Structure formats: C-alpha cells, structure tokens
Amino acid sequence: MNRSELRDDLARLILGGELNLTSTEVADKGGLSLEDGKRLWRALGFPDTGDAVAYGAPDVEAVAAVAASIESGLLDEQTVFRMTRALGTTMSRLADWQVSTLVDQVEHDVGGGKSGSRLEAAVGLATGVAPGLEELMIYAWRRHLAAAAARVEALGAADEELLSTVMTVGFADLSRFTTLSNELDDSTLGMLVENFETRCTDIVTAHGGRVIKTMGDAVLFVTAEAQEGTRTALDLVRQIASRDDMPDICVGLATGSAISRLGDVFGPPVNLAARLSHVARSNRVLIDEATAASLDDEFDTRALPPRPLRGFGVVSPITVSERRVFRSR
C-alpha cells in the first residue's frame, strides 16, 4: 500500500467513513440551516470549508443531534452552542495531547522494526488502540460529569451559589523556567513539563483537590477548604523539591469567592494566588490572610514585610509550614 493510500486509510479510520459531502449538503441532511451549520463547525474549533468536500456520514449524525436538541426544546439554542464550544475547546487540547504522546510510540515502533513507516505505525494504532481509547474517553467523561453534578448539588439551591463559590485557589509555579527553557533541548524541556504536570496532578487529586488547568511551567488548582489546600501546597513543595529531575517550585494560596465558568475559575483569589507564587522564595508556600485565618494549630504561619502586589496594593504575604512537634525525652 502506497503512502497516499495509507494516509486515506488513516483518515477513514479516525473519522469513521469517507468524506464526500460539502458544508451545504451536510447541513441540509442534518436538519440545520447552512448558517447554523457553519456556526456549529466554528464552535467546534474548525474553520469554514467553503465548497470543499470535507464531511461524511458521521458529520451528518452530529449535525442531526444538534438539530434534535434544539427542536426538542429541552435545551435552548444558546445552551447547545455553548456546550458545543466547550466540547470543541476540550477535545482540541485532548487530541493534541494524545497525538504528541502517541508520536513517541510511533517512533519506537518504526525504530524497532515493528512498522515499516510512521504512517503504517499510525494506521496500526488507529486500528487496534483507538476503539479502546474512545471507550475510555467516554467512561472518563461520565465519571467527571457525575463528580461535577455532585459538586453542584452540594452547593445548595441558591442559583447564585452555582457560579460563585468560596474556595481555596493554588498556583504552583516552577522556578527559573524561562532560563531552563533556553538551556534545554526541545525533547528534554517537553519531558520536564510533562513530569511536572503529572506529579502536580497526582498530588492535588490525592488530596481531594482539582487541577483546573496547566500552563507548562505552572498549575492552577482548587480545593474546597483552606486546610486541605495548604496540605496540598506543602506536599507539592516537599515531593517536587526532593526530585533531582525537577527544578524548585513556588506556591501561592488564596481563599475567597471565585466564579466557575467554562471549565475555568476566575476572581480575586485566582489572581492573588498567582501574585503570591511569583513573590514566593523557591520551595516555599505563601498564603493570604483569609487562608491563614482558616488554619488550625497544624500549621505555623508568619507574616512577611508588606510589599506591593499588582492589582492588590500593598499586601503582607504569609509564609506557612507544618508545625513541628517536639517530644521531651
């Protein structure tokens, strides 16, 4: 099989069929106007295709599902397209992440003689691995959906509470990352970032928190309570600082009302946590007054000299550590 045929096979395996329809045809068959069809396509994160043949039967099914959701009246049009945009944004990042991860496997297969070319290796993965990954993706989505629904239910009946909630926000930042990124080759830098994100995610979730997003050299996470957020932050410093393959880390924590929207969090505690991480010394945790006020005698806190923090005026950061217990002999 030549290269062109392999490429076509790979596209068919991933997309689930032949591409033989234009945007006008797929919108008509799916039951949407051409304008709404283009709106759906853009919401998913793809550019307009004009008169090009770029769609197939699975695209018709997707358009029909959107049209049915709107026609049923259970969801209004604005909600449907907002959810579509959320899916498009999330799946775009997930796809990039999966492909970059699988590239290593492809190179290993080709280098080990398991496949004759990268395309052959990719087709083999799409045939043998993709169905299982798709099932795992749906399973993970359902589990996260159930967890998110439980969090909303726990907030109470007040509508305003569903969007704005008091939480502790943490911002973990690698020290000297700009310098490191200029010193390391691309492969080593990529591995460093992946290891950092993986370790942070494992530690945060083990403490019952949630990673909201990763930004290469930084991780934004939230916890329901200040005590757990502080334990998480101190554990991040302890575990990452002890690794020879990791740089130092700085963590900022702030507690207050934040808005959860589109899979992200916004508000003063988010901004303050980021500012605190930027002024923290290496392998230290700085917290704000609201977080400190919620801690018990499990921790020692000490106010540092006031300093200006952009957007917050002059602030006295507070350093926190686990209290040492001295036993008499």
Side-chain angles (χ1 to χ4, degrees):
M1 189 177 292
N2 62 39
R3 187 179 182 84
S4 177
E5 290 172 332
L6 281 171
R7 189 180 293 111
D8 291 342
D9 268 359
L10 182 60
R12 280 193 294 269
L13 284 168
I14 293 175
L15 295 175
E18 299 283 349
L19 302 182
N20 51 17
L21 300 172
T22 65
S23 58
T24 301
E25 291 169 335
V26 77
D28 182 62
K29 289 178 178 291
L32 285 181
S33 67
L34 178 59
E35 180 181 352
D36 280 343
K38 290 181 177 180
R39 184 181 172 195
L40 169 64
W41 196 239
R42 288 192 294 269
L44 287 171
F46 302 110
D48 292 340
T49 56
D51 296 327
V53 174
Y55 306 92
D59 298 292
V60 174
E61 293 175 6
V63 171
V66 170
S69 296
I70 296 173
E71 290 173 4
S72 70
L74 294 175
L75 297 174
D76 60 39
E77 186 173 311
Q78 181 183 10
T79 299
V80 169
F81 281 101
R82 284 175 61 197
M83 291 183 67
T84 301
R85 185 170 293 104
L87 279 172
T89 300
T90 303
M91 292 304 174
S92 173
R93 185 166 186 244
L94 176 60
D96 283 343
W97 194 338
Q98 288 175 327
V99 168
S100 63
T101 302
L102 290 174
V103 162
D104 291 336
Q105 180 69 51
V106 168
E107 293 297 332
H108 180 268
D109 289 349
V110 174
K114 188 176 179 180
S115 298
S117 69
R118 292 184 179 89
L119 271 176
E120 283 185 12
V123 169
L125 289 173
T127 303
V129 178
L133 285 178
E134 186 172 357
E135 291 180 7
L136 179 62
M137 187 165 56
I138 294 173
Y139 159 79
W141 170 70
R142 287 182 177 276
R143 294 294 300 186
H144 280 294
L145 188 62
R151 286 194 296 270
V152 169
E153 191 278 332
L155 292 176
D159 290 342
E160 62 273 13
E161 290 181 344
L162 299 182
L163 294 178
S164 181
T165 312
V166 174
M167 62 182 71
T168 296
V169 180
F171 201 91
D173 201 359
L174 284 177
S175 300
R176 297 180 56 252
F177 183 75
T178 300
T179 302
L180 280 172
S181 63
N182 292 329
E183 295 174 349
L184 302 176
D185 60 64
D186 291 346
S187 177
T188 306
L189 181 61
M191 186 62 68
L192 169 65
V193 169
E194 183 173 353
N195 287 342
F196 172 63
E197 293 182 353
T198 299
R199 292 302 304 145
C200 285
T201 300
D202 287 348
I203 293 167
V204 170
T205 53
H207 282 276
R210 287 186 297 131
V211 169
I212 300 300
K213 59 184 175 183
T214 59
M215 295 152 277
D217 64 332
V219 171
L220 175 67
F221 66 93
V222 299
T223 63
E225 299 177 353
Q227 294 250 128
E228 202 56 65
T230 304
R231 293 190 193 102
T232 302
L234 292 171
D235 203 13
L236 283 169
V237 168
R238 180 166 50 250
Q239 291 201 39
I240 291 178
S242 67
R243 295 173 64 99
D244 294 334
D245 60 343
M246 285 284 174
D248 292 335
I249 186 176
C250 309
V251 185
L253 282 182
T255 300
S257 180
I259 297 173
S260 297
R261 195 80 174 207
L262 302 176
D264 206 343
V265 291
F266 311 91
V270 180
N271 300 327
L272 183 53
R275 301 285 187 272
L276 289 171
S277 75
H278 292 160
V279 300
R281 291 173 56 193
S282 295
N283 299 326
R284 295 291 186 272
V285 178
L286 289 185
I287 62 177
D288 68 337
E289 290 184 357
T291 303
S294 300
L295 301 181
D296 58 21
D297 58 7
E298 177 184 347
F299 305 99
D300 283 324
T301 59
R302 178 171 60 88
L304 300 178
R307 67 196 68 190
L309 294 184
R310 183 162 58 90
F312 293 93
V314 177
V315 176
S316 293
I318 300 170
T319 183
V320 62
S321 60
E322 290 180 319
R323 177 164 294 177
R324 295 181 180 180
V325 178
F326 297 95
R327 293 182 175 87
S328 58
R329 294 182 178 180

